[in-house]
Amino acid sequence: MKSIFTFILLLVITFSSAHAQDGQYLMSSAKLEVRSGPGLQFNTIAEVTKGTQVYVMSSNYGEWSAIQFKKMNGFVLSSLLTEDSRIADAERAAQEAAAKREAAKQAATQAIAQAEAAKKAAEEAARKAIANAERLKREAEATAAKAIADAEAAKKSKDVAAQRALADTEETRRAVEEANRRAAKGSSVTSNPIESTTPSYGSSSNTSSPRAASIEVSREDKYSSWEKKTYKSGATPKSFNFKGKFDYKLDNYLKIKVGKNTEVVVKMYKMGKTKADDQLVRVTYINSNSTQFIRNVPEGEYYLKIAYGREWRETAVGGKKYGTFTKNALYEQGKAILDFNTVKTSKGTNVPSYNLALDLLPSGSGEYSTRSAQDNISADLFNKN
């Protein structure tokens, strides 16, 4: 009795250690007789039908294996056990499912990456399309503005030519009237001989009618005493005694292209709340047939005064300097407003810049390609700060 108890105790200990080593599910290939020990001499404690799944805790008992069936432990012949194909199929199916999950995960990751790339490409294409449309819009607006300016300049040139023709006609008419008036006045004067109270001693007693001496006309050059000056494009004439104002944090500009028929002086005025608050910011001399950039313009809204002409001369009167073009001089103040205020957007800061084309038409009027109307002003108003 004592030896049987000792064996059962050792058996339980063996079961516990074998469970961790050889544990696996197998299937019976024939009817199994489950015995209380590893041998035919032990009692049959249960029967397991063919095809039943059992759990093998250990196979270290020679021809016998220790199994667990439901809540019962016992021993069966190892030769009557075989692998359960269902378990292998299940494990294989589980592995295949895991592989499919991993493949699906990788496919999803790749699809997400492709979608992100497509999204970025679409956003970039949209950005380029918007930028191109904006550029085309600006070019169309600039072309339209230039066409309007050209039309206005042509109209103004025609009007100026018509006015000059009328003035010439009127001047001719007045000259003819004056000549006729003088001729009529001269014929009404009677030429009488002058009687002398002294002997003539043979001199002729007749005298001729009085005649006017010939009139000599010469053009007076009021600038003959003024000093002729030559400046490089971008310089400020000394006669203005002015230093420009700059904002070097702003990379903006006013680009001015001057034609071959004139030189110009451009004055930039920053508009204040009232006319009295307007502030002169730049005075720039630009030679003919050249292009000048006026850069680093402080923020604000601006209008321009422009002097056209040739041969710039300067003089000093009472300690104050004056300067002007002495040939083909024309002065005007533009109505267009140049807005140099920066605009902050979601994509950054928009810093505006402008292009300007200036020249004199053959008639003498100025052409300003960025405005639709021009006003002529006097030289004094141009030089007034």
Side-chain angles (χ1 to χ4, degrees):
M1 186 71 179
K2 183 177 180 181
S3 62
I4 295 174
F5 176 78
T6 301
F7 179 77
I8 293 174
L9 180 60
L10 291 173
L11 181 63
V12 172
I13 294 172
T14 303
F15 281 2
S16 299
S17 61
H19 182 279
Q21 295 175 354
D22 301 334
Q24 60 179 324
Y25 285 96
L26 295 177
M27 185 177 65
S28 60
S29 60
K31 184 177 74 172
L32 296 177
E33 291 182 349
V34 182
R35 295 181 182 273
S36 59
L40 296 176
Q41 70 271 24
F42 292 92
N43 296 329
T44 299
I45 57 176
E47 289 186 352
V48 177
T49 60
K50 179 181 178 181
T52 302
Q53 187 185 79
V54 296
Y55 184 76
V56 178
M57 295 183 292
S58 176
S59 300
N60 297 327
Y61 298 96
E63 296 179 350
W64 296 81
S65 296
I67 69 165
Q68 180 179 356
F69 177 65
K70 296 183 179 180
K71 296 182 180 180
M72 177 180 62
N73 295 334
F75 293 86
V76 298
L77 285 169
S78 299
S79 61
L80 299 179
L81 297 175
T82 184
E83 283 192 27
D84 190 345
S85 61
R86 294 172 299 173
I87 295 174
D89 292 342
E91 290 178 349
R92 186 166 52 253
Q95 291 176 354
E96 291 177 354
K100 289 181 179 179
R101 284 197 303 272
E102 184 63 25
K105 181 179 178 182
Q106 293 179 357
T109 302
Q110 186 177 2
I112 291 172
Q114 291 175 349
E116 286 293 331
K119 178 183 176 183
K120 290 181 180 179
E123 290 176 349
E124 179 64 16
R127 184 191 66 79
K128 289 183 178 179
I130 293 172
N132 189 49
E134 185 65 24
R135 179 182 62 79
L136 293 175
K137 178 184 175 184
R138 289 197 299 267
E139 290 178 355
E141 289 175 347
T143 302
K146 188 177 186 305
I148 294 173
D150 290 343
E152 288 292 333
K155 180 178 180 297
K156 186 173 181 180
S157 175
K158 180 180 178 181
D159 293 343
V160 170
Q163 291 174 0
R164 289 187 175 180
L166 290 174
D168 291 343
T169 302
E170 180 64 18
E171 185 178 354
T172 301
R173 185 186 64 80
R174 290 178 180 177
V176 171
E177 288 183 351
E178 178 65 17
N180 292 334
R181 184 182 64 78
R182 287 182 178 181
K185 184 177 179 181
S187 61
S188 62
V189 177
T190 304
S191 299
N192 294 322
I194 300 175
E195 295 181 1
S196 177
T197 58
T198 59
S200 62
Y201 299 105
S203 64
S204 174
S205 62
N206 295 327
T207 60
S208 62
S209 300
R211 294 181 181 180
S214 60
I215 301 174
E216 294 183 1
V217 179
S218 63
R219 182 183 297 272
E220 180 182 2
D221 184 2
K222 64 179 180 180
Y223 300 111
S224 59
S225 62
W226 291 40
E227 183 181 2
K228 184 177 180 180
K229 291 285 188 179
T230 301
Y231 291 102
K232 293 182 179 180
S233 291
T236 298
K238 294 181 180 180
S239 58
F240 291 98
N241 192 27
F242 177 78
K243 291 184 178 181
K245 296 176 175 60
F246 300 81
D247 187 346
Y248 294 102
K249 294 181 293 183
L250 296 177
D251 187 18
N252 58 14
Y253 60 82
L254 171 60
K255 177 183 176 183
I256 302 178
K257 182 178 181 181
V258 178
K260 64 181 181 179
N261 298 320
T262 186
E263 298 178 356
V264 299
V265 176
V266 177
K267 300 176 73 175
M268 296 184 66
Y269 287 86
K270 183 178 180 181
M271 299 176 65
K273 293 182 178 180
T274 65
K275 186 70 175 177
D277 297 326
D278 292 351
Q279 184 180 17
L280 179 62
V281 173
R282 294 289 178 84
V283 181
T284 306
Y285 192 102
I286 307 174
N287 289 301
S288 62
N289 208 22
S290 63
T291 299
Q292 179 65 32
F293 285 83
I294 301 176
R295 299 184 181 276
N296 308 115
V297 180
E299 285 193 79
E301 294 181 338
Y302 290 79
Y303 66 89
L304 305 179
K305 289 183 180 179
I306 306 169
Y308 299 85
R310 295 278 191 180
E311 196 171 300
W312 181 266
R313 295 195 179 196
E314 296 177 357
T315 189
V317 179
K320 186 176 181 180
K321 291 185 177 182
Y322 296 90
T324 186
F325 285 115
T326 58
K327 292 183 179 180
N328 299 329
L330 178 68
Y331 305 89
E332 60 186 25
Q333 177 174 326
K335 289 184 177 180
I337 305 301
L338 306 181
D339 189 350
F340 278 93
N341 288 307
T342 58
V343 179
K344 293 184 178 180
T345 66
S346 59
K347 296 182 179 180
T349 302
N350 181 18
V351 182
S353 295
Y354 296 90
N355 294 332
L356 189 63
L358 301 176
D359 203 353
L360 278 182
L361 296 177
S363 62
S365 62
E367 178 185 9
Y368 192 1
S369 65
T370 59
R371 63 176 63 170
S372 59
Q374 302 166 343
D375 284 342
N376 288 348
I377 58 175
S378 66
D380 290 340
L381 185 57
F382 173 81
N383 287 293
K384 183 179 179 182
N385 290 338

